[in-house]
Amino acid sequence: MIWDWDFAIEILPQLLRATIVTLQATLFASITAVLFGFVLAVLRRSRIRLLRWPTTGFVEVIRSTPLLLQLYFIFFVLPEYGLRLSPMVAGVLGLGLHYATYISEVYRAGIEDVPRGQWEASIILNLSKPRTWISVIIPQVITRVIPSLGNYIVQMFKATAILEAITLVELLGEANVIGAQSFRYLEPFTLVGLIFLAMSYPSALALRYVERKLHVRH
């Protein structure tokens, strides 16, 4: 099959519109993962077993099973119990929960890396636990985990391609639709690869730059 420039230019606007869907899924899944990942990290450090053990179990189950299986469960199984979600919501929830379990480990390492003296100083200053977390611990944790968080967000961006399996017409899904209608797959799949590369590679370079800057500062 020979590359057809006219066809590639014709389908590019469709793929760019689908890219917006991919970016939306990435954005909302990232917010879910970053926030819920922090909650999981805090709960896993809890001294209360009724909080720590179920949280640990949840993290291990999610990390030990395929993301695709989790997406199928959310999108196809939950409706049998009365919870029907749109492809976008199911995709965001599946990606967000899956990556939250990995991000929780990043947070946990960041929290444990905060010098013990910071905790002791907060006690001496009579700061409440919420104030200690908000004013002392979290700012230090964030500076330590930003590069790792960024890496997981880039991974989530690329993982959105799997959302086609639950009928979300994102970037790869649109390429499949175009291929099925035109019987030409070379151009749409090549353009999809170039779009992913054009958006992922600069992000990876930016993260490396930030990581070097933070390393020098520490």
Side-chain angles (χ1 to χ4, degrees):
M1 182 177 288
I2 300 174
W3 179 269
D4 187 336
W5 278 108
D6 291 334
F7 180 63
I9 293 171
E10 177 187 342
I11 65 174
L12 184 58
Q14 292 175 252
L15 294 175
L16 292 178
R17 285 194 293 271
T19 303
I20 295 175
V21 177
T22 294
L23 291 174
Q24 288 174 334
T26 304
L27 173 63
F28 294 123
S30 298
I31 293 172
T32 302
V34 168
L35 295 179
F36 190 57
F38 184 77
V39 173
L40 291 175
V42 173
L43 291 178
R44 290 193 73 180
R45 287 173 50 86
S46 174
R47 296 179 181 179
I48 304 173
R49 293 180 181 179
L50 289 178
L51 293 177
R52 187 174 69 251
W53 287 357
T55 303
T56 300
F58 174 81
V59 169
E60 293 305 320
V61 168
I62 296 298
R63 293 183 64 177
S64 301
T65 54
L67 172 58
L68 184 57
L69 175 62
Q70 295 160 20
L71 289 169
Y72 280 161
F73 190 91
I74 292 171
F75 190 70
F76 294 112
V77 177
L78 291 186
E80 297 180 9
Y81 296 91
L83 183 58
R84 187 175 299 277
L85 303 175
S86 68
M88 175 62 83
V89 174
V92 166
L93 184 61
L95 279 176
L97 292 180
H98 185 83
Y99 280 93
T101 60
Y102 291 93
I103 288 176
S104 69
E105 291 300 302
V106 174
Y107 279 128
R108 193 157 68 96
I111 293 170
E112 291 175 353
D113 195 38
V114 174
R116 187 168 184 81
Q118 299 290 320
W119 298 91
E120 295 170 350
S122 299
I123 294 174
I124 293 172
L125 292 172
N126 201 30
L127 297 180
S128 65
K129 280 192 175 181
R131 181 69 182 278
T132 298
W133 277 102
I134 294 172
S135 301
V136 180
I137 306 304
I138 291 179
Q140 296 184 63
V141 170
I142 293 299
T143 59
R144 287 169 166 79
V145 303
I146 281 179
S148 296
L149 291 182
N151 286 328
Y152 277 118
I153 290 173
V154 172
Q155 287 183 35
M156 271 188 276
F157 171 64
K158 292 183 288 186
T160 54
I162 203 174
L163 300 183
E164 181 194 9
I166 57 171
T167 73
L168 181 66
V169 184
E170 39 62 66
L171 185 53
L172 184 60
E174 185 66 29
N176 264 326
V177 170
I178 292 171
Q181 292 174 345
S182 64
F183 299 103
R184 293 191 65 89
Y185 290 92
L186 173 63
E187 293 84 0
F189 285 159
T190 301
L191 289 174
V192 166
L194 291 174
I195 291 171
F196 272 110
L197 179 62
M199 302 186 77
S200 298
Y201 186 64
S203 300
L205 291 178
L207 287 171
R208 288 176 196 155
Y209 175 79
V210 171
E211 189 172 5
R212 286 197 302 269
K213 286 293 184 181
L214 291 175
H215 180 72
V216 170
R217 184 179 302 176
H218 288 298

